[in-house]
Amino acid sequence: MKEAIVSAGPKVEIIDSPIPKPEPGQVVIKTIVSGCNPKDWKIPEWMKEVKPMNQGDDIAGTIHAVGPNVTEFKKGDRVAAFHEMTKPGGSYAEYSVAWAHTTFFLPEKTSFEEGAAIPLAAMTAAVGLYAADRLCLPSPWTPATASTPLLVYGAASAVGVYVLQLARKSNIHPLICVAGRAKDYVETFLDRSKGDTIIDYRDGDEAVISGVKSALKGEKLLYAFDAVAEKGSPQNIGKVISSPGGKATFVLPPSGGWEGKHDGLDEGVKQSMTMVGSVHDNQKDLGYVYFRYFTRGLEEGWFKGQKTEVVPGGLEGVQSGLERLKDGSASAVKFVYRIADTPGAGKA
């Protein structure tokens, strides 16, 4: 099979690899569409100890084989899945590997392109919103019954879009969204009647801070989900979040490293890092439940994948997609790759 190997640069090499076999608790998926994420170029550059490998984690396709102890899925099922990061069997290949608990059914009305936009980013949103050691907000099946302001920094990002959808299902309002050129897209996820609003970060830090305070209408801000976690966003959060008692979760570590804290936040604010890889570790149950809940949301129509752009060339387009993610030219769109468009695909 054809497989794309990513190294620092980003640089991508297409190689021939054997079709993987599932271990107990795993499934092998015939990859129809793969999504890509910023971490796919960041890990090779930031973590020099990680050898060049298939960095793809967003899988959409059909079940090819199931390992021992897998009872939920069978060959031919339409699924999407979150591949375990930095492990063999990534989604930049004709066949991918995922654990059954991070695999979920795609309704017939959901395209593989849409499905490939969901796994990593949507689960990052779920972990950050609902895990006990992150924001620990009310779940969608026990929604909030009182005003619960939530600041969403980077609301138009892949993670931000799913934060908004899940938060609305949990009746978390007002949603105070920080966004820029894609704010019209963010608007489609909001309920203005419940106080939801958008603040344009391009107007400057002082405008963001005053805009958040105005949107709160005198309420305390106890929750912030930072889907940017750089370029001053943690510091701006620190100027508006309540202390003590506030909780802020970030998708990136501070400059001092994984164990540090972001500058500019009072000691009374509980900081956390939201790492989606936790669903392959201490958040397995949360991952299992919310991936299946995504299927229900897709069926019912209140949940949908981020807007996608198909990058031409299949796996040969991975490098150009990652380059565009690195240079920041992508806005409110998920790059996806149709694997069958790869030259030579389907021959082995």
Side-chain angles (χ1 to χ4, degrees), residues 274-321:
T274 289
M275 301 173 67
V276 68
S278 63
V279 300
H280 288 119
D281 187 16
N282 65 322
Q283 298 290 347
K284 286 183 179 180
D285 289 348
L286 185 148
Y288 176 89
V289 170
Y290 275 96
F291 275 125
R292 280 138 192 81
Y293 196 62
F294 295 164
T295 299
R296 172 173 286 185
L298 291 167
E299 290 173 340
E300 295 178 347
W302 59 264
F303 182 77
K304 58 185 177 181
Q306 185 190 15
K307 289 190 300 185
T308 61
E309 177 184 326
V310 177
V311 180
L315 294 176
E316 289 200 344
V318 170
Q319 180 166 319
S320 66

Side-chain angles (χ1 to χ4, degrees), residues 96-126:
S96 310
V97 177
W99 293 97
H101 80 276
T102 60
T103 302
F104 60 104
F105 290 106
L106 287 182
E108 288 294 332
K109 66 180 180 180
T110 302
S111 70
F112 289 117
E113 289 77 10
E114 182 178 4
I118 293 171
L120 185 149
M123 187 52 62
T124 302

Side-chain angles (χ1 to χ4, degrees), residues 50-79:
V50 176
K51 66 179 182 179
M53 64 184 304
N54 176 347
Q55 286 286 349
D57 296 318
D58 283 326
I59 309 166
T62 59
I63 295 290
H64 171 71
V66 301
N69 306 325
V70 175
T71 59
E72 190 174 359
F73 303 103
K74 65 181 185 305
K75 186 177 177 67
D77 285 341
R78 301 178 81 252
V79 297

Side-chain angles (χ1 to χ4, degrees), residues 148-165:
T148 309
L150 171 65
L151 175 59
V152 184
Y153 225 109
S157 68
V159 173
V161 164
Y162 297 112
V163 169
L164 299 181
Q165 294 182 71

Side-chain angles (χ1 to χ4, degrees), residues 224-240:
F225 196 125
D226 191 347
V228 179
E230 57 184 354
K231 301 177 181 177
S233 60
Q235 290 71 39
N236 285 347
I237 289 171
K239 293 176 181 177
V240 294

Side-chain angles (χ1 to χ4, degrees), residues 11-333:
K11 297 295 182 183
V12 177
E13 179 187 7
I14 310 300
I15 65 171
D16 290 309
S17 300
I19 296 173
K21 298 185 185 310
E23 297 178 3
Q26 291 182 337
V27 297
V28 172
I29 299 168
K30 179 176 174 57
T31 318
I32 306 299
V33 180
S34 170
C36 71
N37 296 282
K39 55 129 310 243
D40 300 348
W41 70 262
K42 290 179 179 179
I43 284 181
E45 295 198 10
W46 294 1
M47 301 173 67
K48 302 299 185 183
E49 71 277 12
V50 176
K51 66 179 182 179
M53 64 184 304
N54 176 347
Q55 286 286 349
D57 296 318
D58 283 326
I59 309 166
T62 59
I63 295 290
H64 171 71
V66 301
N69 306 325
V70 175
T71 59
E72 190 174 359
F73 303 103
K74 65 181 185 305
K75 186 177 177 67
D77 285 341
R78 301 178 81 252
V79 297
F82 174 41
H83 163 261
E84 185 173 3
M85 295 186 293
T86 71
K87 299 293 184 181
S91 65
Y92 295 153
E94 293 184 72
Y95 294 87
S96 310
V97 177
W99 293 97
H101 80 276
T102 60
T103 302
F104 60 104
F105 290 106
L106 287 182
E108 288 294 332
K109 66 180 180 180
T110 302
S111 70
F112 289 117
E113 289 77 10
E114 182 178 4
I118 293 171
L120 185 149
M123 187 52 62
T124 302
V127 171
L129 287 171
Y130 303 120
D133 55 354
R134 272 74 168 195
L135 297 185
C136 197
L137 284 159
S139 64
W141 43 90
T142 55
T145 57
S147 178
T148 309
L150 171 65
L151 175 59
V152 184
Y153 225 109
S157 68
V159 173
V161 164
Y162 297 112
V163 169
L164 299 181
Q165 294 182 71
L166 292 170
R168 279 196 62 173
K169 192 65 175 174
S170 291
N171 196 35
I172 295 167
H173 297 282
L175 296 171
I176 304 171
C177 304
V178 179
R181 54 184 165 165
K183 61 184 182 180
D184 288 346
Y185 180 52
V186 173
E187 188 71 49
T188 64
F189 297 102
L190 304 187
D191 186 343
R192 289 281 182 169
S193 72
K194 295 185 178 181
D196 297 351
T197 192
I198 303 173
I199 301 162
D200 195 327
Y201 69 83
R202 295 173 298 179
D203 294 334
D205 291 343
E206 290 306 315
V208 170
I209 293 163
S210 63
V212 172
K213 291 179 178 178
S214 176
L216 288 168
K217 301 186 186 305
E219 289 192 78
K220 289 184 177 182
L221 178 66
L222 295 175
Y223 305 100
F225 196 125
D226 191 347
V228 179
E230 57 184 354
K231 301 177 181 177
S233 60
Q235 290 71 39
N236 285 347
I237 289 171
K239 293 176 181 177
V240 294
I241 196 165
S242 293
S243 177
K247 296 180 181 180
T249 196
F250 302 91
V251 298
L252 292 176
S255 57
W258 297 96
E259 300 302 322
K261 291 186 176 182
H262 286 280
D263 295 332
L265 285 86
D266 191 86
E267 285 296 322
V269 176
K270 182 180 178 182
Q271 295 191 39
S272 64
M273 266 281 295
T274 289
M275 301 173 67
V276 68
S278 63
V279 300
H280 288 119
D281 187 16
N282 65 322
Q283 298 290 347
K284 286 183 179 180
D285 289 348
L286 185 148
Y288 176 89
V289 170
Y290 275 96
F291 275 125
R292 280 138 192 81
Y293 196 62
F294 295 164
T295 299
R296 172 173 286 185
L298 291 167
E299 290 173 340
E300 295 178 347
W302 59 264
F303 182 77
K304 58 185 177 181
Q306 185 190 15
K307 289 190 300 185
T308 61
E309 177 184 326
V310 177
V311 180
L315 294 176
E316 289 200 344
V318 170
Q319 180 166 319
S320 66
L322 296 182
E323 289 171 345
R324 291 170 67 188
L325 286 179
K326 183 177 180 179
D327 67 23
S329 61
S331 178
V333 67

